Amino acid sequence: MSDAQISLHASVPSIDSILRLDTAAVLVEQYGRSLVTEGVRQVIADIRSQITELGEKALPLLAESAVVAQVARYVEDASAPSLRAVYNLTGTVLHTNLGRAVMAKEAIDAMVKVATGASNLEYDIESGKRGDRDSHLDDLLCKLTGAEAATVVNNNAAAVLLVLNTLGQRKEVPVSRGELIEIGGAFRIPDIMKRAGCKLVEIGTTNRTHLKDYAEAISAKTACLMKVHTSNYTVQGFTKEVTAKEMSELARSRNLPVIEDLGSGTLIDLSKFGLPHEPTAQEAINSGVDVVTFSGDKLLGGPQAGLIVGRKDLIAKIKKNPMKRAMRLDKVTIAALTATLQLYLDPDTVAMRVPTIRLLSRSKEDIQAVAEHIAAPLRQALGEDIYVKQINCQSQIGSGSLPVERLDSIALSIAPQKGKPGGKLKKYAEAFRALPTPVIGRIQDDAFLLDLRCLEDVGGFLAQLDDLKL
Ligand SMILES: *Cc1c(COP(=O)(O)O)cnc(C)c1O
């Protein structure tokens, strides 16, 4: 170490001297002594390694005010939540990486209420005896789906695992090769089957499966027939799929149940809102499926949950499986799910009150009005070298629902006025992500796009444009 470096090291302020400063006291007041002390220690350690690296150039870092500023940044970072709100302007309404469904106000109010104090989660108020946490939901689910019984778990993957384990352990479950899906995030039917302790019997081919394939696969070891909604892909062309109704009739004649993983599963006919038809839970029940599973935070528009509806005797068996205890819902989710399901009791207002349905069915005129409102302020924030143009674009539903369907939407397209965009689009995307409430768009066709279908909080969006740094 050179003499200069030794003298620099000697003039690094001590931890105590920093903590004695009034500016540090302000931080202690807000963030607590322990975190601030940790911050000071870390910043000083960083300065020492900077001295070794930069020599004399590290001198400005030694000023007390510079140290406190670094400490402030450290404690702010350490106290900021990792999970933050963002604006989802990707055009994918149910974006798994961005938290899927946005919840209804009614669901949020219900969550706050049960989180704030004690509740009758497993307590029967009338009798004063122990109750069942499913009781808050099962009547409602039966009413909405036409099923005899219902139960709920943490997500649909858990629901599928639980149903298969309950009905099919050490037995065989025939599934069409056209339905052996993988959805994002390591959910693969063959793997789930194995973990559930079932033996998968692959039948038919990728593009065509016939009823006789099921019939021939049934043996003394068969537990049930399974249908899987091929959420995130479609097979087109020379195809043949056996309907749930046909499967149910066959299964009934052999005294076997049919289970169906609906994936997204919705409770209302989406075509009423100008959207493509997605199979509903009622349709599955009506066609004779004995146990249906679907997600709470996909098209349903509620919290993450796995809904299981179907025959009373089978649901009772599922509820008795010890695995159910490991997958049970917490009170906050039960509150949100109940409130969301209640909104479906009024089909006339559900599209307005459930944000997922509202955003999916939002009219192009409505989205255009948002575009017109924010285009000028956005142009101003971006400066003269960048153009902002209103374009037609296509949103998608996401989360594997209706994978090929697209919804007409409007985006603001952002690109440099002159020359090839090159790396600039990535820079724009970064700048929008760096906003206090990050804005997530998409890069497509040589432009950075903000699809405005999901922008409802226009005021909040505009208020932070001043912070945009390009
Ligand atoms: C999404 C999906 C699942 C998994 O549901 P999660 O609620 O995400 O656990 C399972 N099966 C199908 C067909 C799906 O689309």
Side-chain angles (χ1 to χ4, degrees):
M1 205 183 286
S2 70
D3 285 353
Q5 279 186 357
I6 291 169
S7 93
L8 277 170
H9 273 290
S11 48
V12 172
S14 72
I15 293 174
D16 281 338
S17 72
I18 296 293
L19 284 172
R20 273 195 299 269
L21 297 171
D22 287 347
T23 44
V26 174
L27 293 177
V28 169
E29 179 91 1
Q30 192 178 347
Y31 297 97
R33 177 159 303 275
S34 146
L35 184 62
V36 175
T37 308
E38 177 190 305
V40 175
R41 205 167 273 139
Q42 184 61 52
V43 169
I44 287 177
D46 288 349
I47 290 172
R48 290 198 185 280
S49 59
Q50 292 279 314
I51 290 174
T52 315
E53 222 171 276
L54 303 175
E56 295 281 338
K57 288 200 200 108
L59 192 58
L61 301 175
L62 305 189
E64 285 175 342
S65 61
V67 175
V68 174
Q70 287 286 353
V71 173
R73 211 161 307 147
Y74 180 96
V75 294
E76 274 163 26
D77 278 356
S79 329
S82 162
L83 185 59
R84 299 159 66 193
V86 303
Y87 286 101
N88 171 15
L89 305 191
T90 60
T92 301
V93 178
L94 291 169
H95 198 302
T96 295
N97 303 144
L98 301 182
R100 290 193 186 161
V102 172
M103 277 193 247
K105 186 181 173 302
E106 289 81 352
I108 294 160
D109 292 345
M111 285 192 282
V112 171
K113 246 183 221 146
V114 298
T116 309
S119 60
N120 64 333
L121 179 63
E122 288 184 355
Y123 184 82
D124 184 68
I125 291 176
E126 215 169 297
S127 68
K129 294 202 176 116
R130 193 199 151 104
D132 175 359
R133 66 177 63 208
D134 278 355
S135 69
H136 304 287
L137 282 156
D138 50 13
D139 282 352
L140 199 51
L141 267 172
C142 291
K143 192 165 174 181
L144 291 165
T145 61
E148 288 172 5
T151 184
V152 276
V153 289
N154 263 320
N155 50 49
N156 187 34
V160 174
L161 182 66
L162 181 65
V163 170
L164 281 171
N165 178 263
T166 308
L167 305 181
Q169 201 180 17
R170 285 189 288 273
K171 288 187 174 169
E172 294 178 354
V173 181
V175 182
S176 161
R177 287 196 172 87
E179 297 175 3
L180 289 177
I181 55 153
E182 167 181 321
I183 62 156
F187 177 90
R188 291 171 143 196
I189 292 293
D191 297 343
I192 294 281
M193 209 50 103
K194 208 174 285 167
R195 288 295 167 144
C198 309
K199 181 159 187 282
L200 167 67
V201 178
E202 297 183 24
I203 62 161
T205 60
T206 309
N207 58 330
R208 288 172 73 84
T209 298
H210 304 272
L211 191 61
K212 73 171 188 339
D213 295 324
Y214 286 98
E216 284 165 10
I218 294 175
S219 75
K221 286 190 231 136
T222 307
C224 58
L225 300 185
M226 182 184 195
K227 187 162 185 60
V228 184
H229 185 51
T230 55
S231 304
N232 47 8
Y233 84 113
T234 55
V235 185
Q236 283 175 335
F238 186 55
T239 61
K240 168 86 176 87
E241 183 189 342
V242 180
T243 65
K245 187 150 188 291
E246 293 167 317
M247 284 173 69
S248 308
E249 281 159 9
L250 170 67
R252 198 122 308 143
S253 75
R254 304 291 189 94
N255 221 358
L256 291 172
V258 176
I259 64 178
E260 180 167 17
D261 174 16
L262 267 190
S264 245
T266 161
L267 295 174
I268 45 168
D269 179 6
L270 293 176
S271 63
K272 276 204 298 203
F273 308 109
L275 293 164
H277 182 78
E278 170 83 9
T280 68
Q282 298 90 315
E283 285 164 5
I285 293 291
N286 284 342
S287 58
V289 175
D290 299 285
V291 179
V292 181
T293 70
F294 55 105
S295 282
D297 58 352
K298 290 186 181 170
L299 286 172
L300 189 73
Q304 179 188 302
L307 292 78
I308 308 174
V309 300
R311 238 169 67 191
K312 203 169 188 163
D313 59 325
L314 299 178
I315 297 290
K317 237 173 131 180
I318 289 163
K319 286 181 72 158
K320 280 205 204 97
N321 187 331
M323 267 166 84
K324 164 75 167 47
R325 173 62 178 78
M327 301 171 174
R328 73 179 184 188
L329 286 190
D330 74 300
K331 61 187 175 187
V332 176
T333 308
I334 290 175
L337 189 55
T338 310
T340 307
L341 290 172
Q342 274 163 345
L343 298 178
Y344 282 87
L345 294 175
D346 183 357
D348 297 332
T349 57
V350 67
M352 200 177 67
R353 290 153 88 189
V354 174
T356 299
I357 313 281
R358 182 169 72 228
L359 294 172
L360 287 172
S361 60
R362 199 174 187 187
S363 74
K364 211 172 150 185
E365 293 71 52
D366 199 17
I367 305 171
Q368 176 140 15
V370 175
E372 277 160 16
H373 194 77
I374 68 170
L378 200 56
R379 266 184 208 115
Q380 188 156 24
L382 288 166
E384 286 177 356
D385 298 335
I386 299 173
Y387 79 69
V388 177
K389 195 169 64 179
Q390 187 182 309
I391 61 159
N392 291 320
C393 72
Q394 307 253 285
S395 312
Q396 48 182 319
I397 297 172
S399 280
S401 319
L402 305 152
V404 290
E405 310 285 351
R406 292 290 181 271
L407 310 170
D408 285 337
S409 185
I410 304 276
L412 289 175
S413 166
I414 300 169
Q417 291 280 11
K418 291 196 206 93
K420 282 237 162 268
K424 287 189 181 146
L425 302 181
K426 269 199 178 133
K427 286 263 176 314
Y428 302 165
E430 268 165 33
F432 278 93
R433 289 203 307 274
L435 287 169
T437 302
V439 173
I440 321 287
R442 72 177 193 266
I443 293 173
Q444 186 185 311
D445 300 336
D446 279 345
F448 175 61
L449 300 190
L450 301 177
D451 184 325
L452 301 175
R453 172 175 295 278
C454 294
L455 182 58
E456 295 197 298
D457 172 24
V458 173
F461 177 87
L462 290 177
Q464 60 169 3
L465 283 184
D466 283 345
D467 290 317
L468 194 62
K469 284 188 199 70
L470 279 164

